[in-house]
Amino acid sequence: MNDPKISIKETKLLSDNWYILNKVTFDYKKPDNSVITQQREVYDRGNGAAILLYNTANKTIILTRQFRLPTYLNGNKNGMMIEVCAGLLDEDEPEQCIIRETEEETGYRISKVEKIMETYMSPGAITEILYLFIGEYDASMKVSEGGGLEHEQENIEVIEMSFEEAYDKIATGEIQDAKTIMLLQYAKINLGF
């Protein structure tokens, strides 16, 4: 945040009900050296991590299904989304977070993950960086049914399916979540599925 072309003039808190929503007024110096003043609402919910769990021998993956209110409000008839396991970092490093979230959501206890990229998923309005991982699983790693944490009001269905079935769900529109699509495409290109 040291770019001389950008000068933050005011940050006004609009809401801190769930996460932080600010209205930011800033000056931006254009390439012709003229300066324009702009205002944007910026939502800060922290950073997150997501993982595609895959089984090379069986050519299967683990996904989750859960209700997502914003999608319901924007045309998703039942609000259910099929996604890779994901969660907010809170105070953890990305690797620690995704190992914890994997066990909470899917019931699989993994110890080794590989970070493949960092992304801004909605850079026009949300500050979040999402760290994307892959990790191999097998039946011996299953320690619980998963489903998320009750105190976080999570109600997550764990789905194991063939990689090809999941990949086909992109074309049919059954998988519309961007992080899931990116990880499935990464696996298609790099993991030989």
Side-chain angles (χ1 to χ4, degrees):
M1 293 190 21
N2 296 320
D3 191 325
K5 296 186 300 274
I6 302 161
S7 176
I8 306 296
K9 297 300 184 186
E10 180 184 20
T11 300
K12 181 179 178 185
L13 179 67
L14 300 179
S15 174
D16 65 353
N17 185 41
W18 189 251
Y19 298 111
I20 304 296
L21 179 62
N22 286 314
K23 182 177 185 180
V24 179
T25 304
F26 63 99
D27 289 343
Y28 182 81
K29 186 185 287 186
K30 298 188 327 184
D32 67 1
N33 286 325
S34 65
V35 176
I36 57 173
T37 300
Q38 297 183 340
Q39 290 184 330
R40 296 289 185 270
E41 288 184 2
V42 178
Y43 193 56
D44 183 351
R45 58 185 302 260
N47 294 327
I51 188 167
L52 178 66
L53 294 174
Y54 67 95
N55 182 300
T56 305
N58 297 333
K59 297 201 180 304
T60 56
I61 61 169
I62 300 290
L63 297 174
T64 65
R65 183 184 349 248
Q66 61 185 305
F67 178 75
R68 297 296 199 182
L69 177 63
T71 72
Y72 179 74
L73 296 174
N74 196 21
N76 181 359
K77 289 184 170 102
N78 64 9
M80 299 302 286
M81 293 289 287
I82 298 173
E83 306 174 39
V84 291
C85 171
L88 293 176
L89 300 187
D90 299 322
E91 300 298 318
D92 289 337
E93 292 297 315
E95 293 84 1
Q96 296 168 317
C97 166
I98 205 56
I99 288 170
R100 180 191 74 241
E101 288 290 335
T102 298
E103 186 170 338
E104 289 173 7
E105 291 190 4
T106 70
Y108 286 87
R109 183 174 292 150
I110 59 173
S111 58
K112 184 178 170 192
V113 297
E114 179 185 348
K115 185 175 94 171
I116 58 166
M117 68 181 83
E118 299 175 17
T119 65
Y120 288 97
M121 297 300 287
S122 189
I126 300 174
T127 61
E128 178 183 38
I129 294 172
L130 191 61
Y131 299 89
L132 299 181
F133 293 87
I134 56 172
E136 195 154 8
Y137 78 96
D138 62 45
S140 71
M141 298 173 178
K142 186 146 180 83
V143 296
S144 76
E145 293 305 309
L149 299 177
E150 191 169 317
H151 75 271
E152 291 182 6
Q153 299 179 329
E154 293 179 317
N155 185 21
I156 299 168
E157 177 188 353
V158 180
I159 307 167
E160 183 175 34
M161 67 178 71
S162 74
F163 176 83
E164 282 306 318
E165 180 184 355
Y167 197 78
D168 290 346
K169 287 182 184 301
I170 298 170
T172 65
E174 293 172 80
I175 292 180
Q176 295 182 310
D177 175 65
K179 65 187 175 295
T180 304
I181 293 168
M182 291 168 68
L183 283 165
L184 288 171
Q185 289 178 336
Y186 177 90
K188 183 79 165 176
I189 295 167
N190 295 287
L191 298 179
F193 281 104

